[in-house]
Amino acid sequence: MCPGSGLLKGQLRGGFCLYVSGMACDGERGSGLGNRLRGPVRSVWAKHDRDAEGWLPLWRHMEDSAAVAGLLWDRWLPANVRDLISGALPGGERDGRRLAVWLAGMHDIGKATPAFACQVDQLADVMRAQGLEMKTRRQFGPDRRLAPHGLTGQVLLAQWLEEQHGWSGRQSAQFAVVVGGHHGVMPDHGQLKSLDDRPHLLRTPGPSRAVWQRVQGELMDACADEFGVRDRLAVWRAVKLPQPVQVLLSALVIVADWIASNPDLFPYFPQAAHCTGAERVAAAWQGLRLPEPWSAEEPPQDVGELFGTRFDLPPGAVVRPVQAAAVRLARTMSQPGLVVIEAPMGEGKTEAALAVAEVLAARSGAGGVFFALPTMATGNAMFPRLLDWLKRLPTEEGTRLSALLAHSKAALNDAYADLMRKSAQRIAAVAVDEEDRPWRPADDKRAASAELVAHAWLRGRKKAMLSSFVVGTVDQLLFAGLKSRHLALRHLAVAGKVVVIDEAHAYDTYMSAYLDRVLSWLGAYRVPVVVLSATLPAGRRRQLAEAYAGAESTVSAEEFEAVARTDGYPLLTAVPPGGTPVIECPPASARETSVRLERLDDDFGVLADRLATELEGGGCALVVRNTVNRVLETAKVLRERFGDDAVTVAHSRFIDVDRAAKDADLLARFGPPGKSQERPRGPHVVVASQVAEQSLDVDFDLLVTDLCPVDLLLQRMGRLHRHQRGHNQGDRPHRLRTARCLVTGVDWTGPVPVPVRGSVSVYGAYGLLRSAAVLLEHLDGPRRPVRLPQDISPLVQNAYAEEAAVPPGWAEGMDTARQRHEEHRKDQAERAGTFRLDAVGRPGRPLIGWVAAGVGDADDTRAGRAQVRDSKESLEVVVVQRRADGVLATVDWIAPDKAGLELPQDRPPAPGAARAAAACGLRLPVQFSYAEVMDRAIAELEELYVPAWQVKDSYWLAGQLILVLDGDCQTRLAGFSLRYSPCDGLEVTRD
């Protein structure tokens, strides 16, 4: 304790002492919130550590939080976020910073209430001695839970603004709600009414009430003076704060509070009582070392130079017209906004998106990029590409950029794991999940120029998206439209970035309802968004444009209708925030493919015979099935005909490490010329599920596919003759130099095609019949080939048109299928609305009850993903084996250094063994998603509960469901027999 400080007489239990009045200690001389306060107000506490016998006065925590908010504003918050906040205030940037600092300082004012202060007896006794009488925690009873300090803080601030500064209730609420929501949920009207009915929770009745009121007023007055807002309050009274600004301020206050609440960065008293506030904050910020946001420079005007310096292009590669046009459009938009890029498969949309993102970031002040992809597998494939791009960006010396792979199994991704290892060498890399869990500050080693880091503090479950550059599943974006705790943080994360949404056609009505709501908020935040698709229906294009423009847009319905009527392809659509859509139709590249379609009877023997004929002279065929069971049945038949070595299986029912190896193997053997080194010379067939549709740059000589919606069928066709192999495809087997696609999975013999049952369960009958209908001219008569890319847009638009032509004789079957389809879409939309975030409210409307009746926490778990995807909740397990001696071990067929590692049950496994086991995660198929079967399966899996694996040192396996296979890779679960094969994945049969 500093000499000269006024000490309370005696020592409190636990051995720590308090000062509440008299001279300031040496460390408080000069300016500061503490210097403005005397008497009882100094006894009000904010933090207490029972174990370390430390405490923190409220004024100090308020000062810490305000200082952190100022540093976040100056050094961490992207320019576009600062601009949006500042633009709502008459004093611009200066007002924006002052408001953020003041609200961060005020966030815990609700702790200056008896409902909070009574929680620690010895600290409450000190306050009582200063005239702040209060009941004990027991005496308050259950009523105390009606007064969380965020709620009481909102009420106190609103009262102060209204009583001392003449604000109305509506005017004060739009500012005070930021304080009320600093623990992740804005209070609702019911909570405010309950507290209003219990004033004793705010101030103890009787003589002590005046002391409480004086202390609360002194704290708020001191904050207004210390943080420079007193003379601004009269001006701000007339401000109508937009809801997006309220959200961003709330998120900034949350982040500032979390940092200032970390006792390793901001130690408690008495240990910390000797240092000044400035010294304290400087030391904490140096220890935290948050990477600053990306400050994008305007990229080279020459598009060839831009692409040549940013991407690893093959020799002689030229920028494609779509890529050049997209960059030009991004540069000439009236304001950075939404850019939709529709172009054929293999046209370089990913590179175009990153180039456009760089332009839009430079123009808007965005501080990073979020790349949203449909699946974890596509995210894993994208992450190293993003890192390569980041390494090529021009940056100032010493720049540190934070990067993150955002999905639940990111730590198993080699590229991300390598980034974490490198970061850990410079930073104390400790994963932090919750805001109140301590972590050790970083050391002070200086980073190299343009360092990419997976920052420890930004890897927590709630903070991950705050990294500057993020690759993740689209679920992470859709969560921004889900009423959930700490939603404001997700909004801050996306508001400061350029958002790229890949494979936009892949999302059904349920997911699209969330995506459209998120887009409406992104438009309100003026976030640049890039949407990519090869096969986007015109109606969906219009919906995306309207959602981004927002309900308040002045753009006419006719202008949006023009977006839907456009039939050009490739196609670029730009929508400035609130502005008129701009449409451009650049030419396609010179790459063209004509694909001849044929029917093929749905018979495994017929398929085997046809492939034997087609591949007689060698060649590589891709067979795509709509269900995993059909994949496995097909592979069994084809292996009997061609041999085991000539058939490869790929689907989603492999353990993670095998799935990654499958993708790598496919790329190595069937990837682009010059990159694939092992393309089979003899006949080879890959039998795959939908995993072959997305983000795999593979190239086959022949395609066989089950009938599916036409946009997805075109995606599959994008894997056929994807690259030029010799002049006029002369390096392909002679019979396969013409691209051909055989369509099966349908009984073609009746008046109306009948798709196989599995396909109907996946896609619905209507989408399959619409697909068959638009393909008829390519399947019948002269059988005009499908020309890629010319026919992509016409086929997709005709298949999804509201008033589509019906082939003769199909009317009854089509009407029945359409009715079921519309009922299903209506049901999806209604269910999506249950927890979907409301639309952006009018400026000045407070965010009271913003996420009321929400889902609680939302994260990237199987339960979390089920909230934004219309799919049954699935079970995920970690697969291990039981050796002959009874010991559990990692499976024996993976890499030699990871196979067969012992997993002892009496102690935590070695870290390498635990990680190797965790890499063998597997999602069980739909049979285990039905409630009764799932409950039985969980109960059986939980019989293997290993307490030694649940400790902190064994986080790889903690909380996981373990599926144990025997030496023959078999087991039984919930009435099913399970067999796993590294070649075929998981096979499930009913006992």
Side-chain angles (χ1 to χ4, degrees):
M1 189 64 67
C2 298
S5 57
L7 300 181
L8 287 180
K9 293 181 180 179
Q11 298 237 341
L12 294 174
R13 283 173 296 162
F16 55 87
C17 54
L18 302 168
Y19 64 96
V20 296
S21 61
M23 293 177 60
C25 69
D26 290 342
E28 293 169 40
R29 294 195 180 105
S31 63
L33 191 60
N35 262 346
R36 299 178 181 273
L37 302 169
R38 293 292 183 272
V41 67
R42 295 177 66 84
S43 71
V44 182
W45 65 277
K47 303 285 182 181
H48 171 243
D49 186 339
R50 196 178 303 273
D51 295 331
E53 300 178 347
W55 77 296
L56 199 65
L58 178 56
W59 66 263
R60 173 61 88 190
H61 180 56
M62 296 171 81
E63 188 175 73
D64 290 342
S65 301
V68 171
L71 286 166
L72 290 172
W73 181 279
D74 296 336
R75 305 185 189 179
W76 181 74
L77 212 59
N80 64 332
V81 174
R82 297 197 308 268
D83 290 346
L84 187 70
I85 295 172
S86 302
L89 299 165
E93 171 90 9
R94 198 171 175 197
D95 261 7
R97 188 184 190 280
R98 278 190 290 205
L99 178 58
V101 169
W102 174 60
L103 289 173
M106 290 292 294
H107 81 281
D108 264 355
I109 187 62
K111 289 183 175 180
T113 58
F116 177 86
C118 69
Q119 294 180 92
V120 179
D121 292 338
Q122 56 267 50
L123 295 176
D125 286 343
V126 174
M127 292 176 63
R128 291 185 182 105
Q130 294 292 309
L132 293 165
E133 291 292 338
M134 69 191 87
K135 294 179 180 179
T136 66
R137 184 171 185 166
R138 183 185 298 273
Q139 288 171 333
F140 270 117
D143 269 8
R144 200 188 67 78
R145 285 183 295 220
L146 300 175
H149 70 267
L151 173 63
T152 57
Q154 176 174 331
V155 171
L156 290 177
L157 177 56
Q159 289 178 353
W160 181 78
L161 288 170
E162 294 162 24
E163 295 169 5
Q164 301 298 319
H165 298 279
W167 291 38
S168 70
R170 174 62 67 89
Q171 290 168 335
S172 67
Q174 58 181 331
F175 289 80
V177 73
V178 174
V179 169
H182 80 267
H183 276 281
V185 177
M186 279 69 173
D188 59 35
H189 290 286
Q191 291 173 294
L192 291 165
K193 176 65 167 60
S194 294
L195 184 58
D196 188 53
D197 293 339
R198 296 166 177 83
H200 66 283
L201 297 172
L202 290 177
R203 304 172 186 99
T204 302
S208 184
R209 186 182 189 280
V211 184
W212 278 106
Q213 192 163 15
R214 185 174 70 249
V215 162
Q216 293 161 354
E218 286 175 359
L219 279 168
M220 288 186 278
D221 286 340
C223 284
D225 293 331
E226 179 67 21
F227 307 135
V229 303
R230 183 173 290 278
D231 64 343
R232 303 304 299 159
L233 293 176
V235 180
W236 290 350
R237 185 173 59 185
V239 169
K240 291 186 176 180
L241 211 57
Q243 285 195 334
V245 173
Q246 296 177 48
V247 176
L248 295 177
L249 286 168
S250 299
L252 182 61
V253 168
I254 290 171
V255 175
D257 179 32
W258 284 0
I259 294 172
S261 296
N262 188 315
D264 285 320
L265 295 175
F266 291 90
Y268 290 176
F269 285 23
Q271 293 89 346
H274 65 281
C275 63
T276 67
E279 291 169 343
R280 177 179 171 85
V281 171
W285 191 257
Q286 185 177 11
L288 184 61
R289 292 188 70 215
L290 274 182
E292 296 189 5
W294 177 40
S295 181
E297 301 176 7
E298 185 67 36
Q301 289 294 319
D302 183 87
V303 179
E305 181 185 353
L306 171 60
F307 278 76
T309 55
R310 301 295 189 267
F311 307 108
D312 185 17
L313 301 179
V318 296
V319 178
R320 293 180 174 136
V322 170
Q323 297 171 326
V327 171
R328 182 174 61 252
L329 185 60
R331 283 186 165 130
T332 57
M333 292 176 70
S334 59
Q335 298 179 67
L338 172 71
V339 177
V340 182
I341 302 176
E342 298 174 61
M345 299 70 70
E347 197 74 359
K349 292 188 292 295
T350 297
E351 290 78 9
L354 291 173
V356 167
E358 188 175 352
V359 172
L360 295 179
R363 293 189 60 199
S364 69
V369 174
F370 173 51
F371 214 111
L373 296 119
T375 64
M376 291 186 191
T378 53
N380 285 337
M382 181 64 207
F383 189 67
R385 296 177 68 181
L386 180 81
L387 294 183
D388 288 343
W389 174 69
L390 286 175
K391 292 171 184 174
R392 296 166 184 262
L393 288 177
T395 55
E396 294 183 6
E397 185 176 354
T399 297
R400 298 166 67 242
L401 300 176
S402 57
L404 183 99
L405 179 59
H407 62 67
S408 60
K409 298 183 179 181
L412 299 172
N413 178 272
D414 288 341
Y416 185 58
D418 183 57
L419 181 62
M420 287 195 295
R421 280 192 296 270
K422 292 177 180 177
S423 300
Q425 295 170 5
R426 304 176 177 92
I427 306 171
V430 180
V432 180
D433 246 1
E434 304 296 341
E435 62 269 25
D436 56 357
R437 283 179 54 192
W439 62 282
R440 295 294 169 190
D443 59 26
D444 190 33
K445 294 180 181 176
R446 298 304 176 194
S449 176
E451 178 188 358
L452 299 180
V453 296
H455 194 277
W457 195 81
L458 293 173
R459 291 208 299 271
R461 177 167 53 90
K462 296 175 183 177
K463 304 185 289 270
M465 290 285 292
L466 293 171
S467 295
S468 294
F469 295 92
V470 180
V471 172
T473 61
V474 71
D475 308 78
Q476 297 285 356
L477 180 63
L478 300 183
F479 285 148
L482 182 71
K483 290 183 180 180
S484 57
R485 190 173 178 85
H486 288 110
L487 181 61
L489 287 179
R490 292 190 178 275
H491 280 229
L492 175 61
V494 294
K497 297 179 176 65
V498 178
V499 174
V500 181
I501 305 169
D502 199 9
E503 308 282 6
H505 57 274
Y507 310 127
D508 61 14
T509 300
Y510 189 91
M511 296 175 71
S512 294
Y514 280 99
L515 180 58
D516 289 354
R517 183 53 48 83
V518 172
L519 280 174
S520 71
W521 279 88
L522 293 179
Y525 289 122
R526 300 183 176 271
V527 170
V529 178
V530 184
V531 174
L532 307 179
S533 179
T535 52
L536 191 66
R540 186 70 191 119
R541 182 191 312 130
R542 172 177 177 162
Q543 289 170 350
L544 294 172
E546 287 182 314
Y548 185 83
E552 303 300 318
S553 172
T554 58
V555 178
S556 67
E558 289 75 16
E559 288 172 307
F560 282 119
E561 184 59 33
V563 171
R565 284 199 306 266
T566 301
D567 57 4
Y569 190 81
L571 182 66
L572 303 175
T573 306
V575 184
T580 302
V582 176
I583 299 167
E584 185 171 336
C585 299
S589 66
R591 300 184 324 116
E592 292 185 8
T593 304
S594 291
V595 181
R596 295 195 173 274
L597 267 58
E598 300 179 32
R599 289 185 174 90
L600 184 69
D601 291 341
D602 189 52
D603 179 278
F604 295 137
V606 170
L607 172 64
D609 290 343
R610 183 62 180 271
L611 287 176
T613 300
E614 298 291 349
L615 302 179
E616 185 175 2
C620 304
L622 172 64
V623 178
V624 184
R625 297 304 207 187
N626 292 339
T627 65
V628 175
N629 285 344
R630 280 175 63 81
V631 170
L632 296 175
E633 292 168 3
T634 302
K636 182 178 179 181
V637 172
L638 295 182
R639 286 194 179 114
E640 292 173 356
R641 179 67 62 93
F642 295 97
D644 292 349
D645 292 341
V647 178
T648 297
V649 167
H651 55 72
S652 60
R653 216 185 287 173
F654 283 92
I655 61 174
D656 293 331
V657 66
D658 286 348
R659 171 77 185 275
K662 285 281 180 184
D663 287 352
D665 174 67
L666 291 175
L667 288 170
R669 291 195 287 167
F670 307 103
K675 292 185 178 181
S676 57
Q677 307 297 327
E678 308 165 17
R679 191 172 182 87
R681 294 184 178 275
H684 198 97
V685 184
V686 173
V687 188
S689 66
Q690 294 89 336
V691 300
E693 288 174 10
Q694 298 169 340
S695 302
L696 271 181
D697 190 5
V698 288
D699 171 28
F700 292 89
D701 304 314
L702 177 69
L703 173 66
V704 181
T705 175
D706 283 347
L707 180 68
C708 61
V710 73
D711 50 334
L712 303 182
L713 192 142
L714 288 165
Q715 292 283 342
R716 296 175 186 183
M717 289 168 61
R719 275 66 189 160
L720 177 63
H721 286 211
R722 186 180 181 93
H723 297 286
Q724 192 71 26
R725 294 192 179 273
H727 180 66
N728 291 329
Q729 304 289 1
D731 290 346
R732 301 184 191 272
H734 186 271
R735 186 181 180 88
L736 303 176
R737 291 173 186 171
T738 297
R740 281 176 295 144
C741 172
L742 312 182
V743 183
T744 184
V746 184
D747 180 356
W748 299 102
T749 59
V752 180
V754 180
V756 296
R757 182 178 177 182
S759 297
V760 174
S761 68
V762 174
Y763 297 115
Y766 184 69
L768 297 172
L769 289 179
R770 288 301 318 144
S771 180
V774 299
L775 293 173
L776 281 182
E777 66 171 309
H778 305 285
L779 291 166
D780 291 338
R783 292 196 317 193
R784 183 176 72 80
V786 174
R787 300 165 302 159
L788 302 180
Q790 297 95 319
D791 289 335
I792 291 178
S793 184
L795 285 170
V796 172
Q797 308 319 326
N798 289 336
Y800 287 93
E802 287 297 321
E803 300 298 330
V806 178
W810 290 29
E812 184 176 351
M814 190 74 83
D815 287 345
T816 300
R818 178 168 186 159
Q819 183 177 352
R820 291 176 180 168
H821 172 70
E822 294 299 334
E823 290 173 353
H824 178 63
R825 288 180 60 190
K826 181 180 178 182
D827 176 66
Q828 283 188 315
E830 289 175 352
R831 286 186 290 108
T834 304
F835 297 118
R836 188 180 58 181
L837 185 65
D838 292 338
V840 182
R842 62 182 179 275
R845 181 177 179 181
L847 287 173
I848 295 172
W850 190 50
V851 295
V855 300
D857 283 325
D859 51 26
D860 189 33
T861 62
R862 57 185 175 86
R865 291 189 293 271
Q867 292 164 343
V868 291
R869 291 180 185 254
D870 187 27
S871 58
K872 292 183 173 66
E873 186 177 346
S874 58
L875 276 183
E876 294 185 25
V877 297
V878 169
V879 178
V880 303
Q881 275 186 295
R882 192 179 299 279
R883 300 190 317 210
D885 59 4
V887 174
L888 297 183
T890 58
V891 296
D892 60 13
W893 61 81
I894 54 178
D897 61 330
K898 297 179 175 65
L901 301 178
E902 183 176 345
L903 300 169
Q905 294 179 247
D906 60 343
R907 62 186 185 280
R915 186 180 190 276
C920 296
L922 174 68
R923 185 173 298 179
L924 297 180
V926 68
Q927 292 97 316
F928 296 92
S929 297
Y930 299 100
E932 184 176 341
V933 177
M934 178 180 283
D935 290 345
R936 180 178 171 186
I938 291 174
E940 292 180 13
L941 291 166
E942 287 181 340
E943 290 177 7
L944 178 64
Y945 177 80
V946 185
W949 295 4
Q950 312 309 316
V951 299
K952 203 184 309 182
D953 293 338
S954 186
Y955 62 89
W956 289 111
L957 299 178
Q960 299 291 338
L961 294 172
I962 308 298
L963 180 69
V964 182
L965 303 179
D966 61 20
D968 296 323
C969 296
Q970 299 184 48
T971 192
R972 297 176 64 192
L973 182 65
F976 292 88
S977 294
L978 281 62
R979 178 181 180 276
Y980 190 88
S981 160
C983 294
D984 288 343
L986 183 68
E987 298 180 68
V988 178
T989 56
R990 187 176 290 277
D991 286 348

